[in-house]
Amino acid sequence: MNEVIGYEVSDGIAILGINNPPVNAVGASVRQGLSNALHRALGDDAVQAILILGEGRTFPAGSDIREFGKPPADPWLPGLCNAVEASPKIVVAALHGTALGGGFELALATHYRVAAEGARIGFPEVTLGILPGAGGTQRAPRLAGAGDALDLMLSGRAISVTSAEAAPYIDKVVQGDLRQQALSYVQELLAQGAGTRPTRDIRKGFADPIAYQKAVALRKEVVAKRPEIAPQEIVKCVEAAELLPFDMGLTVERAAFDDCVQSDQAASLRHVFFAERRAPKFPEISGQGASPVSQVGIVGGGVAGRGLALACLEVDLEVVLIERNSAALRESLGKINAYLDRLVAQGRLRGQARDDRGMRLHGKTDFVALSEADVVIEAVADDLKEKQQVFFQLDAVVREGAVLVSTTMRHDLHQIAGKTGDPGWVLGLDIGTPAHLQQVAEVMVPEGVEPAAVAALVALLRRLGKLPVRAEGRRAHIGRAVLGAYRHAADMLVEDGSTPYLVDEAMRAFGMKFGPFEQIDREGLREDRTLRRALADNGTLQGRQVSILDRLCEAGRFGRSVGQGYYLYDGQSPSGRADPEVIALIREERESRGIAARGFSEEEIQRHCLAAMVNEGARLLRLGVARCPSDIDVVMVHGYGFPRWRGGPMKAADLVGLWAVQRDIEQFAQQDSVFWSPEPVFDTLFKAGQGFDALNG
Ligand code: 3HC
């Protein structure tokens, strides 16, 4: 018997305990072990029923994702599920933790399901670019109908077993000791003479064929507009479930699964899954627990400070917000309170929780109020003198071991930290605005910082629900540097003959959430100009100058907030339309530089933009700012709208081929050899037959 599967017989019930920490993923050893245990139980006359459960924290949370993309090892999960379902002795699954993907499919193949009250079930496959491939697309709709089953599979959500949505899949929800409760349940079933109940024979979900087909048609229309392949395949499989006999449906599912799992999209999404888990593992944290944070100080009540305050209040932290005077404080607190009230009015926050947040927010104008804070985040205007003054004042009041954090985008952290008696407790943070809505946070770690300071800030960010990514250095930003390079490439394309509208369209078609110019319009052209200047100052953006943005600013076209930027916003087109004035201004600028306009295809635009991002990413790796390519990818996916299904720019480069990207950069260098200078790592990796993934170690 395989050691990952425990086997024990208790009162005629064989208990198959899956023991493959941390999440009991159904890898080859689990499949083999379960298969062996099933045969043993079936051959044992003393066994009347079989109970499958997960040891430790969960029932299996899915197949082992690390096996995807490798040759499949026998026995396969679909075959194992079929064998479980065909068992002549009743098989019961006892679920706890997160019974997801292949784990949930295994449960659906058993004859009865009992679940602990806190358990969650779901099909997260779609988030990995695949579909439930062990009968899930055929069994779930038999139990729940097409609409509910599709919603679960297409969303990838995990739902509580106590929810109405989960009811068709779960026979009994229990409290207390799951093992004991599950054994009692099996005994009850035996006492009642309950027989096997293969899900393949259940037709409850097909009771209303018209409703079934309508539900399929509706989702088919929705997914057809999405660039991802897996959702479309999921809908086809669920459609087949009703139209075809069960075994043929399984064949359709297998073919669709094979197509998806081998696709670039699935490879990219798997990459992001592991990248998200790699990113928060900062070397400073290994083996050391972080000191708990209960009070956070925030200096500055502008947009950035308010967002940080809201994020902290959301997770039960005490917040001390410092403003420079009572009027500014009143205004800032007023805006925070108004936001909380809006949440209540929209039904997104209960009155009691809103009051509780209000009680935990303490507005002050005196830095002394920060004496108990565990972490203090400075969010004042990005002016060196002002920031230095804040840190000088903080040094006088904060307790020993308090972590001090600057949100500077432009200045050297050492110049700021130098104003304190112990610079080893000063870190940088780039969380974007508004902070409470952001997913990713870059932690700037200068040399010589105390590991405990890093651990505390990372733990705080995890608690805030942010994905922390490490950026090493004093002026180190990953996302903003890559974004700057991307926007610079877009600028050059426009100056050389394209238009902001064509570039935006091409990048949306690539999968970016917004085109670069519509995004600048949203953020504000002045803000973007500040970013570009900061990047030019710290040596990130070098080479050819493009002044179109400056010219637009001179013309008062500051972006969406003023009704005009790259686009024109008015009652007729509130989301913006192309403006001939902008085209004329670009033409003038082009002519003044003696540039002969030429056209760029959608593909050329995409190649320029991707190459710029990747080359900048490679530069950040060379400088040691980014630890590994996958950190760059998660920052771009979570913070800057890069399509998750492309895996981030570095993964996208691996898939295109580094040689192709390098060749593009060399070709673009004919226009500007400074900006378009290929990083040496392309050559190194290419000659070793590797991609960026080799640096993710
Ligand atoms: N395969 C392999 N490793 C897995 C895994 C899986 N299915 N799920 C989690 N892990 C690993 C993680 O990589 C991590 O490893 P690390 O410690 O080395 O970084 C470790 O388990 C713990 O995972 P988390 O840090 O994510 O732990 P959490 O407690 O935060 O979350 C979870 C637990 C909700 C189960 C989350 O891990 C998760 O969502 N896992 C993926 C679930 C999933 O996608 N299942 C479907 C797989 S595809 C499938 O089943 C195909 C089938 O239809 C044929």
Side-chain angles (χ1 to χ4, degrees):
M1 190 61 56
N2 188 307
E3 76 245 18
V4 296
I5 303 299
Y7 186 91
E8 183 193 332
V9 180
S10 165
D11 286 338
I13 302 168
I15 305 167
L16 279 48
I18 304 169
N19 187 14
N20 185 27
V23 299
N24 283 327
V26 190
S29 58
V30 170
R31 296 195 300 272
Q32 189 61 63
L34 276 176
S35 174
N36 294 347
L38 182 68
H39 279 103
R40 179 170 168 186
L42 293 179
D44 185 345
D45 290 342
V47 169
Q48 293 171 276
I50 299 161
L51 176 65
I52 303 179
L53 48 79
E55 304 290 356
R57 64 194 246 201
T58 187
F59 194 80
S63 296
D64 189 331
I65 301 168
R66 289 165 305 185
E67 289 181 359
F68 296 154
K70 297 181 185 158
D74 278 339
W76 286 16
L77 189 55
L80 176 64
C81 288
N82 290 346
V84 165
E85 190 172 53
S87 159
K89 297 180 183 179
I90 61 170
V91 186
V92 179
L95 314 181
H96 77 294
T98 42
L100 305 175
F104 185 34
E105 291 177 285
L106 174 65
L108 291 181
T110 65
H111 305 133
Y112 300 91
R113 287 159 291 280
V114 53
E117 202 181 17
R120 300 174 76 76
I121 53 174
F123 292 114
E125 285 89 343
V126 72
T127 65
L128 295 165
I130 55 173
L131 47 98
T137 65
Q138 305 303 297
R139 291 191 178 96
R142 280 175 160 74
L143 294 169
D148 285 352
L150 275 171
D151 288 347
L152 203 54
M153 290 181 217
L154 293 174
S155 67
R157 276 178 302 128
I159 55 170
S160 162
V161 289
T162 55
S163 64
E165 208 181 338
Y169 308 109
I170 304 295
D171 296 292
K172 186 169 185 177
V173 176
V174 297
Q175 293 173 329
D177 184 335
L178 177 65
R179 190 187 176 94
Q180 280 315 315
Q181 298 279 357
L183 284 170
S184 306
Y185 177 60
V186 182
Q187 292 295 1
E188 264 172 50
L189 289 171
L190 289 173
Q192 290 161 9
T196 59
R197 191 185 58 173
T199 311
R200 61 188 283 150
D201 297 337
I202 295 176
R203 301 193 58 82
K204 200 169 131 216
F206 303 152
D208 183 346
I210 306 279
Y212 193 100
Q213 282 151 24
K214 263 195 189 155
V216 167
L218 199 74
R219 272 87 181 169
K220 202 180 251 183
E221 213 180 296
V222 174
V223 298
K225 294 182 193 131
R226 288 172 58 175
E228 297 99 321
I229 312 162
Q232 300 178 21
E233 295 298 328
I234 287 172
V235 179
K236 279 187 211 158
C237 290
V238 171
E239 185 175 30
E242 195 221 12
L243 299 176
L244 301 176
F246 183 78
D247 290 321
M248 280 176 75
L250 281 187
T251 309
V252 170
E253 180 191 86
R254 177 61 14 200
F257 182 86
D258 286 346
D259 283 352
C260 286
V261 83
Q262 286 158 23
S263 68
D264 283 354
Q265 291 190 358
S268 300
L269 289 163
R270 282 198 298 276
H271 164 79
V272 177
F273 176 87
F274 289 113
E276 286 165 344
R277 279 147 186 88
R278 189 178 299 124
K281 291 182 180 143
F282 288 33
E284 288 84 358
I285 306 172
S286 58
Q288 98 163 10
S291 19
V293 172
S294 55
Q295 190 185 96
V296 176
I298 295 164
V299 183
V303 184
R306 291 198 302 272
L308 284 162
L310 285 165
C312 292
L313 291 171
E314 232 171 71
V315 295
D316 299 337
L317 287 160
E318 293 283 329
V319 174
V320 178
L321 180 71
I322 302 285
E323 257 296 3
R324 75 181 87 84
N325 57 44
S326 326
L329 183 61
R330 236 188 342 269
E331 188 185 335
S332 183
L333 293 178
K335 286 184 173 159
I336 293 176
N337 284 319
Y339 180 84
L340 294 174
D341 289 340
R342 267 203 309 283
L343 291 186
V344 175
Q346 291 162 357
R348 289 158 62 199
L349 185 67
R350 294 228 179 102
Q352 177 61 44
R354 187 253 172 272
D355 293 347
D356 179 53
R357 288 184 197 185
M359 305 262 283
R360 283 185 283 104
L361 174 64
H362 314 283
K364 302 282 174 190
T365 53
D366 190 340
F367 275 60
V368 172
L370 296 171
S371 59
E372 298 296 312
D374 305 298
V375 174
V376 181
I377 308 175
E378 159 280 301
V380 301
D382 210 357
D383 173 84
L384 183 58
K385 285 219 167 72
E386 197 172 336
K387 295 213 182 252
Q388 286 178 325
Q389 179 61 22
V390 167
F391 277 78
F392 180 71
Q393 284 179 266
L394 286 176
D395 194 45
V397 296
V398 295
R399 66 168 180 76
E400 204 184 318
V403 183
L404 304 184
V405 182
S406 172
T407 58
T408 184
M409 272 184 1
R410 292 165 48 204
H411 305 294
D412 185 331
L413 266 180
H414 273 192
Q415 286 183 289
I416 295 169
K419 293 291 163 188
T420 68
D422 194 350
W425 290 88
V426 180
L427 291 159
L429 176 68
D430 183 357
I431 199 169
T433 45
H436 60 296
L437 301 180
Q438 305 299 317
Q439 296 170 359
V440 73
E442 285 182 50
V443 178
M444 266 59 86
V445 185
E447 268 168 44
V449 157
E450 289 292 333
V454 180
L457 182 56
V458 168
L460 171 63
L461 292 167
R462 296 295 275 171
R463 183 162 165 191
L464 298 181
K466 312 295 174 197
L467 183 68
V469 180
R470 192 174 196 282
E472 183 157 331
R474 303 188 263 173
R475 303 173 70 150
H477 293 258
I478 296 173
R480 289 182 199 272
V482 175
L483 180 75
Y486 165 40
R487 288 185 177 172
H488 189 57
D491 278 351
M492 289 192 283
L493 285 163
V494 169
E495 193 172 62
D496 286 341
S498 188
T499 71
Y501 318 116
L502 287 173
V503 172
D504 279 352
E505 213 176 297
M507 293 317 289
R508 276 195 309 268
F510 179 81
M512 298 298 288
K513 196 161 173 202
F514 299 108
F517 297 106
E518 57 183 339
Q519 183 67 31
I520 295 173
D521 267 5
R522 282 166 179 268
E523 291 166 13
L525 272 70
R526 278 175 294 200
E527 286 71 11
D528 188 57
R529 189 174 54 181
T530 307
L531 166 74
R532 309 280 194 107
R533 286 183 182 162
L535 292 173
D537 285 352
N538 74 15
T540 301
L541 276 187
Q542 292 179 344
R544 176 173 158 189
Q545 300 282 316
V546 181
S547 307
I548 296 167
L549 179 90
D550 295 322
R551 294 283 312 275
L552 290 168
C553 286
E554 283 159 21
R557 304 188 68 111
F558 297 126
R560 205 171 165 145
S561 62
V562 299
Q564 52 176 2
Y566 286 95
Y567 291 77
L568 189 65
Y569 306 85
D570 53 20
Q572 189 192 334
S573 51
S575 54
R577 67 183 141 95
D579 190 344
E581 272 184 34
V582 172
I583 298 292
L585 183 147
I586 292 167
R587 194 180 307 118
E588 272 172 33
E589 194 60 24
R590 190 182 292 141
E591 283 167 5
S592 74
R593 293 182 175 230
I595 296 168
R598 71 178 185 95
F600 293 91
S601 68
E602 184 173 280
E603 195 213 335
E604 279 177 305
I605 292 171
Q606 294 170 348
R607 276 170 37 200
H608 275 79
C609 292
L610 179 65
M613 289 190 244
V614 176
N615 205 35
E616 179 57 25
R619 194 183 73 94
L620 295 173
L621 289 169
R622 171 168 56 78
L623 297 177
V625 170
R627 258 186 330 170
C628 57
S630 72
D631 276 3
I632 300 168
D633 286 336
V634 284
V635 168
M636 295 312 291
V637 166
H638 284 288
Y640 296 89
F642 198 96
R644 187 180 174 91
W645 53 269
R646 286 197 190 266
M650 310 312 275
K651 180 68 185 176
D654 273 356
L655 290 169
V656 172
L658 294 196
W659 180 75
V661 179
Q662 183 181 10
R663 196 188 47 182
D664 275 350
I665 297 171
E666 281 164 359
Q667 194 198 325
F668 304 154
Q670 287 165 12
Q671 289 126 47
D672 173 21
S673 60
V674 179
F675 179 76
W676 292 115
S677 162
E679 280 293 315
V681 71
F682 283 104
D683 234 17
T684 317
L685 289 172
F686 177 65
K687 284 183 181 145
Q690 293 173 323
F692 282 115
D693 201 30
L695 306 180
N696 285 324

